[in-house]
Amino acid sequence: MTAEAPFPTYDFLGLSLMELDVPTTAAAIVARAPDAPFAYVSTSNAQHVVWMDRGVVPNLRRAHLKAWLRTNDSRVLRLVGRVMFGRRNMPVTCGSDLTVELLRHHLRPDDTISVIGGDDVLVAEMRRQFRFAALHQFQPPMGLLNNPAARAACVDFIVAHPARYVFIACGYPQSELIAFEAAGRGGRHRPVHRQFAAVRDRPRRSRAPVDATSDPGMAAPPDHRSSAPGPADLQRFGSHAVDCRKDATWPPESRGPGPRGRCRRAMSDGVADTGIRRRGRVLRPVRVSARVITEAGGQVAGDSAAKVAVLLFVLPMFGQTFHYIFDVPPLYFLSKGWPGLTAPLILIGLSRGRLPATPLFLFMLAYVLAFTPLLSMINLGNGVFDALATTAKALPMTYYFSLSGLLILMKPTARTIERLLFALGIATYFAMVFMWVTVPASWYASDAVSSKIFVYEIERGYRIYMPMFFGNLFLFMCVRYALARPKLRWLLVAVPICLAIDILIYKQRTAIGCAVLVVGLGIVAGMPRGLRNLAWTAGLALAATIVFVVLTGSIDEGFSQTFGGSLSVRQTSIALAVDYLIAEPLRLVFGVGSITRFSTVTMFDLFGYKHFYLADLGWPGVVFEYGALGSALIAATSFMSLMITQGNAADRDPLSLALYDIVLYCILTTVVYSVMFTPGETATAAALSIYLFRMRRAAATSSGPSSHWARP
């Protein structure tokens, strides 16, 4: 690696490329020193291979090799590399995707921008959507390829208008030649305290085309033709696939009738450069005030104060913040009744949401809400009221549909949801610290009847049992936003602070351990590949060591003492539950049901053990209540929520990644805690993830969010 090539390169079909994805490329552009000389990014596709091989354009190869960053812009090239040459790591970084990433996540309204190409509509939309304070545009005439004087005028404009970012949207290979010629002047005309990063950008055929009139990542002016290879190019290439397998890294001189030349020529048909000739002119920059914009759709955040207030109130209800906090009776009873109050929204979520895995969720709800209460009446002697009351803990699973229905009706912006989740997470930790400092010791109780929040135990001392859905989500958001956006790296400071508060005040060992594990996985995922592999190796070695030590019983006594009496209580309860289930096979298959604290028959009556609580047994407790069949359905919905949130975060959106993290955290904690203790947390995270994903997809396809809720 050198200053000219800051990342490792590899040769492929005569191209010199770097293994860079879109977030890494954007981060490298933004991180470049402000006083560095002009540099540009080349996003190469199949047309590069053909034109450089044929020598159609003078200096084209030099322009490609001179580029500071060189990425692969072609899925066809990636397919060829994977199928024919076994190259597995060949990420695709399209110019349009890179532009979207820069505009949405990195560029600020006070950044100075220069645009070469485009029309009045393009620059007007950029000013309207992104509120750039200083935006310069030069509209060159067409025919730049054969007009050195016109290209020189573009370079003169770049030099005369210092800007932190320069977007060149003049088509291929004109954009690359302009950037190359501008770089040739960079040493003599380098402005002070300015960074140049030129990005060649053009429209392309894709599943989610970008529309300059509605999407913040306007790819290019509408009068340029796409030069990306389509299915026909792939078909033509396939006719010579066998002959090309011998060598994927031939030098540029190897042209001609041989197999390597045929391989390149196979991708060359049907490429043309068309356009309407127009006169060059300069548009003066217009100063506008900077305003906050949303992440999805590029619209100015416009949610009313009333809408924000409603969301601020209902989100804690959906997150089950007060579901067990009887210390605050009004909110406690409201949380218990929230599934019933939001039941009408379920119909909206079902009819208009077209949510993934709807049949699975409905079948699971029918089993746990109808069949299991019937079993509790048979096995445990519950009355009708007691049997229905046992379903209270399962009702929050309906939030998957009801919260989706509410979001469909309210249509909040992604920016509003993002800020509210940050605010609720900060409020969680602030409230915990405030109560720890101000509440006297006399308020703490050693039993679960006097207080749920303020707890005193011999092993752990004084602690505050705080509902941590939004607190943990805030923790994961800090990690994901810090890794995704270099300007927010300071958020990593909050991570050890929050974990220290958890350890000193919250003191839920399993929950804290799972949170640390998820944070670690998020950090490892954001590392470069070499460090990531090293971290995975170290983590697996540590896990293997822990498993070996536990299985050999080397720390059995100390391990038990660390958990005090809670571990022995769980072990005794699990043994009693297993003995009860295997006494009759049907209990193991369909479950036994459960009781409430108001039932005439208690668990003490059944087992003679006063510390028997199903919520503390993890999956054994779930199997006891719902049987193997019901547990399989519940596990399937949990892992389906994980898959949904993971798929929705495929574009590396930090908020969607944090929602995936919270679902993963909820699943990990089921090792000790029952998955049915707060099932609304997973349902809420999945509903938010689906809504945010469809907001981004709506922005990418130039449709409003509401239209996408009606699509299958």
Side-chain angles (χ1 to χ4, degrees):
M1 293 182 290
T2 64
E4 291 76 15
F7 295 93
T9 61
Y10 64 94
D11 294 330
F12 183 76
L13 300 182
L15 299 174
S16 177
L17 302 175
M18 303 174 183
E19 294 179 356
L20 298 174
D21 55 14
V22 172
T24 305
T25 307
I29 293 173
V30 176
R32 186 171 169 83
D35 59 348
F38 184 93
Y40 61 96
V41 179
S42 170
T43 54
S44 306
N45 61 10
Q47 191 179 15
H48 276 70
V49 176
V50 176
W51 283 32
M52 286 196 298
D53 178 70
R54 293 183 174 182
V56 176
V57 180
N59 291 328
L60 183 57
R61 178 170 297 280
R62 292 179 59 197
H64 169 71
L65 296 176
K66 182 69 175 179
W68 175 56
L69 300 178
R70 300 181 293 274
T71 67
N72 171 35
D73 192 341
S74 173
R75 290 179 173 83
V76 171
L77 289 182
R78 181 177 64 178
L79 180 62
V80 171
R82 179 176 300 174
V83 174
M84 298 177 57
F85 305 106
R87 176 169 286 278
R88 297 299 178 185
N89 191 10
M90 194 172 176
V92 175
T93 301
C94 300
S96 55
D97 295 338
L98 180 59
T99 303
V100 170
E101 178 74 13
L102 288 168
L103 290 174
R104 285 185 177 178
H105 303 309
H106 296 284
L107 271 62
R108 300 175 301 181
D110 58 349
D111 283 330
T112 305
I113 310 295
S114 288
V115 178
I116 308 298
D119 53 11
D120 296 345
V121 175
L122 174 66
V123 73
E125 285 298 315
M126 291 184 70
R127 286 172 177 152
R128 180 183 68 83
Q129 296 183 21
F130 296 97
R131 305 296 172 181
F132 290 125
L135 175 61
H136 311 264
Q137 185 193 31
F138 180 72
Q139 295 188 8
M142 302 304 293
L144 288 171
L145 181 60
N146 301 313
N147 191 345
R151 296 200 304 272
C154 296
V155 176
D156 292 338
F157 178 85
I158 294 174
V159 174
H161 296 78
R164 184 171 178 83
Y165 302 98
V166 180
F167 292 90
I168 305 178
C170 299
Y172 174 79
Q174 300 90 297
S175 295
E176 199 145 333
L177 293 175
I178 293 171
F180 171 66
E181 293 167 4
R185 294 199 203 176
R188 298 187 299 272
H189 301 277
R190 184 178 69 186
V192 180
H193 303 301
R194 291 291 186 271
Q195 171 189 349
F196 286 89
V199 180
R200 179 184 61 79
D201 197 21
R202 52 175 172 70
R204 60 187 177 87
R205 287 190 286 266
S206 66
R207 290 174 294 178
V210 180
D211 187 351
T213 62
S214 63
D215 187 78
M218 296 163 288
D223 59 333
H224 291 290
R225 298 293 187 260
S226 172
S227 59
D233 301 293
L234 182 60
Q235 183 178 5
R236 286 190 291 269
F237 182 84
S239 62
H240 300 281
V242 176
D243 295 329
C244 297
R245 186 169 179 84
K246 296 181 180 179
D247 187 5
T249 59
W250 52 79
E253 301 81 33
S254 60
R255 301 190 298 267
R260 292 173 290 186
R262 291 201 303 271
C263 184
R264 295 182 183 184
R265 292 197 305 275
M267 291 181 283
S268 64
D269 299 339
V271 179
D273 184 16
T274 62
I276 302 174
R277 187 177 301 275
R278 56 175 182 249
R279 295 164 52 188
R281 55 198 178 103
V282 176
L283 299 182
R284 298 178 61 84
V286 177
R287 299 281 177 177
V288 296
S289 60
R291 298 177 62 185
V292 178
I293 60 175
T294 61
E295 292 294 331
Q299 303 171 350
V300 177
D303 285 332
S304 64
K307 182 186 294 187
V308 173
V310 170
L311 288 172
L312 185 62
F313 175 76
V314 302
L315 283 177
M317 294 293 120
F318 283 110
Q320 292 192 262
T321 300
F322 303 99
H323 206 68
Y324 296 99
I325 309 302
F326 55 80
D327 305 67
V328 189
L331 295 178
Y332 168 74
F333 288 112
L334 180 62
S335 180
K336 290 294 187 181
W338 194 251
L341 295 175
T342 57
L345 296 173
I346 298 176
L347 300 178
I348 298 176
L350 286 171
S351 61
R352 296 175 55 184
R354 302 290 179 88
L355 300 174
T358 293
L360 174 63
F361 277 87
L362 291 178
F363 189 63
M364 180 273 300
L365 288 172
Y367 187 94
V368 301
L369 298 179
F371 186 68
T372 300
L374 180 62
L375 290 177
S376 70
M377 297 174 64
I378 298 173
N379 296 320
L380 303 176
N382 281 331
V384 176
F385 176 79
D386 291 337
L388 294 177
T390 61
T391 64
K393 59 180 176 291
L395 288 174
M397 285 186 166
T398 60
Y399 294 164
Y400 180 68
F401 301 103
S402 56
L403 178 56
S404 297
L406 181 66
L407 294 173
I408 292 172
L409 294 179
M410 297 188 68
K411 298 183 179 65
T413 63
R415 189 66 167 176
T416 296
I417 296 175
E418 175 188 77
R419 290 180 170 181
L420 286 175
L421 294 179
F422 266 116
L424 289 170
I426 294 172
T428 299
Y429 281 102
F430 178 82
M432 190 157 48
V433 173
F434 179 79
M435 290 187 294
W436 182 258
V437 173
T438 59
V439 171
S442 59
W443 287 25
Y444 289 82
S446 57
D447 59 89
V449 178
S450 302
S451 177
K452 185 66 175 180
I453 299 179
F454 308 109
V455 181
Y456 174 78
E457 296 175 354
I458 297 177
E459 296 87 2
R460 287 178 278 188
Y462 295 97
R463 65 185 184 93
I464 294 178
Y465 179 82
M466 195 73 180
M468 291 300 294
F469 174 72
F470 293 104
N472 287 321
L473 183 57
F474 168 75
L475 184 66
F476 304 146
M477 289 173 68
C478 288
V479 174
R480 293 298 189 174
Y481 275 86
L483 296 178
R485 302 179 185 176
K487 296 178 182 178
L488 298 179
R489 290 286 165 81
W490 58 270
L491 285 174
L492 289 175
V493 178
V495 175
I497 296 175
C498 293
L499 291 176
I501 294 173
D502 288 342
I503 294 171
L504 296 176
I505 301 176
Y506 185 51
K507 300 181 181 180
Q508 290 286 109
R509 291 160 297 211
T510 302
I512 297 173
C514 292
V516 171
L517 177 59
V518 174
V519 167
L521 292 175
I523 294 176
V524 170
M527 290 180 176
R529 186 177 61 177
L531 290 178
R532 183 167 62 246
N533 294 337
L534 181 62
W536 278 118
T537 303
L540 291 175
L542 178 61
T545 302
I546 295 175
V547 171
F548 174 78
V549 171
V550 172
L551 292 179
T552 56
S554 301
I555 58 171
D556 184 65
E557 183 178 354
F559 185 75
S560 301
Q561 292 176 354
T562 301
F563 283 85
S566 61
L567 181 60
S568 61
V569 168
R570 284 188 171 90
Q571 291 173 336
T572 303
S573 299
I574 291 174
L576 292 173
V578 171
D579 291 340
Y580 188 80
L581 289 176
I582 62 178
E584 188 173 336
L586 289 179
R587 295 176 183 172
L588 184 61
V589 176
F590 298 107
V592 178
S594 183
I595 59 175
T596 66
R597 56 179 176 173
F598 306 107
S599 301
T600 56
V601 178
T602 66
M603 292 297 179
F604 179 78
D605 297 331
L606 291 176
F607 302 107
Y609 188 60
K610 65 178 181 179
H611 298 297
F612 189 94
Y613 299 105
L614 291 177
D616 294 335
L617 304 185
W619 283 105
V622 176
V623 174
F624 180 89
E625 184 171 358
Y626 300 102
L629 178 59
S631 300
L633 291 173
I634 295 170
T637 55
S638 297
F639 282 100
M640 180 58 66
S641 299
L642 185 68
M643 294 176 62
I644 290 170
T645 53
Q646 182 184 35
N648 293 342
D651 58 357
R652 311 305 295 175
D653 175 70
L655 182 52
S656 296
L657 287 170
L659 291 170
Y660 163 76
D661 288 340
I662 195 67
V663 174
L664 176 61
Y665 164 83
C666 291
I667 292 176
L668 291 176
T669 56
T670 58
V671 175
V672 173
Y673 306 115
S674 173
V675 68
M676 302 300 290
F677 185 63
T678 52
E681 295 179 348
T682 302
T684 297
L688 287 172
S689 176
I690 294 170
Y691 177 78
L692 293 171
F693 170 75
R694 292 179 176 179
M695 286 277 288
R696 297 194 302 275
R697 187 178 68 177
T701 54
S702 307
S703 300
S706 59
S707 64
H708 282 267
W709 286 98
R711 296 187 179 185

